Amino acid sequence: MRRPFMNTPEQLESLEGQQYLVLRPTGELADRYSVEQHEALALHRLPHPHTGHVTLRGFYEPERRAELTAFVRAWAIEQDPIEITGEAIDAFPEPWQVLILRLARTDSLLSAYATLTDRLEATDFRRLGELPLDEWTFHMSVVYGKTLSGADWAAIEAARVSEFARPVSETSTQVELVSYSNGAEHREVIPLGR
């Protein structure tokens, strides 16, 4: 059984009605993420994802989930597997204060994001937090430190932010369309390629 990405009542409530297209690392990158998250949480108990993931897009389409799923399936059929490579522990600064596992801008990850953007331009799906490709930082959120004081956040950054001595890679052959409704997380696994 697949672990949920978010699992606290507070997280589930804050995501109500939203959908996310994500990659779920399952190999060496997932292992590295777990270690990094454990070490960050040892410094300070903070809200965090229950399972590491790479978000490709966020949506707010509570009434059109079936239509959104059909759209993602059509995109995924033409999408090759996606290489994801962790290269560092980094942070989004104030006001976000999120510790992240930063990903390299691999050709396949850039292509997936760009082709998804191109296809979305022909739709009226409501998208959340979308940025142009050249402004997007591919990442896996490790912990959310928005509630910390500036000094406490600076201490976490000083202790955890660093480049990896060796990049950690794996290839995703599927995506998951995750939706939140009625206080629960729902996931659909969609294979990439034909």
Side-chain angles (χ1 to χ4, degrees):
M1 182 168 184
R2 291 175 179 262
R3 290 171 45 119
F5 295 106
M6 302 294 181
N7 68 341
T8 68
E10 296 81 15
Q11 289 171 329
L12 296 172
E13 182 180 346
S14 73
L15 296 167
E16 183 69 25
Q18 299 176 29
Q19 303 79 40
Y20 291 88
L21 183 61
V22 305
L23 303 171
R24 179 193 296 258
T26 58
E28 188 179 1
L29 184 57
D31 294 342
R32 180 64 182 263
Y33 173 87
S34 293
V35 168
E36 295 292 344
Q37 187 179 64
H38 177 77
E39 292 180 3
L41 290 171
L43 295 174
H44 211 295
R45 290 303 300 172
L46 291 168
H48 57 279
H50 186 62
T51 301
H53 58 281
V54 181
T55 300
L56 294 177
R57 275 309 189 289
F59 302 93
Y60 185 78
E61 287 297 342
E63 306 301 323
R64 297 195 298 172
R65 283 174 43 194
E67 187 178 337
L68 180 61
T69 300
F71 169 86
V72 170
R73 285 186 172 283
W75 167 81
I77 285 172
E78 297 180 12
Q79 178 61 52
D80 292 329
I82 301 170
E83 181 187 357
I84 45 179
T85 300
E87 59 184 11
I89 295 299
D90 207 341
F92 293 135
E94 292 183 87
W96 304 280
Q97 295 185 179
V98 179
L99 193 67
I100 64 169
L101 192 157
R102 190 181 71 231
L103 302 174
R105 295 171 69 85
T106 64
D107 289 344
S108 61
L109 188 54
L110 292 170
S111 175
Y113 192 92
T115 59
L116 187 56
T117 299
D118 290 347
R119 286 195 172 215
L120 282 167
E121 290 303 315
T123 75
D124 64 349
F125 290 127
R126 288 172 284 182
R127 300 179 295 215
L128 303 173
E130 184 175 272
L131 292 172
L133 179 57
D134 60 344
E135 295 177 27
W136 186 253
T137 299
F138 293 100
H139 68 280
M140 299 168 65
S141 296
V142 176
V143 295
Y144 307 117
K146 190 171 187 168
T147 59
L148 292 179
S149 70
D152 285 343
W153 178 249
I156 288 179
E157 283 185 305
R160 301 304 315 149
V161 170
S162 65
E163 298 289 322
F164 293 168
R166 181 185 64 83
V168 183
S169 296
E170 63 180 80
T171 301
S172 290
T173 59
Q174 59 193 19
V175 293
E176 292 184 50
L177 186 58
V178 185
S179 59
Y180 297 90
S181 62
N182 301 316
E185 180 181 281
H186 311 276
R187 297 172 302 281
E188 180 164 350
V189 177
I190 301 171
L192 297 173
R194 298 183 188 274

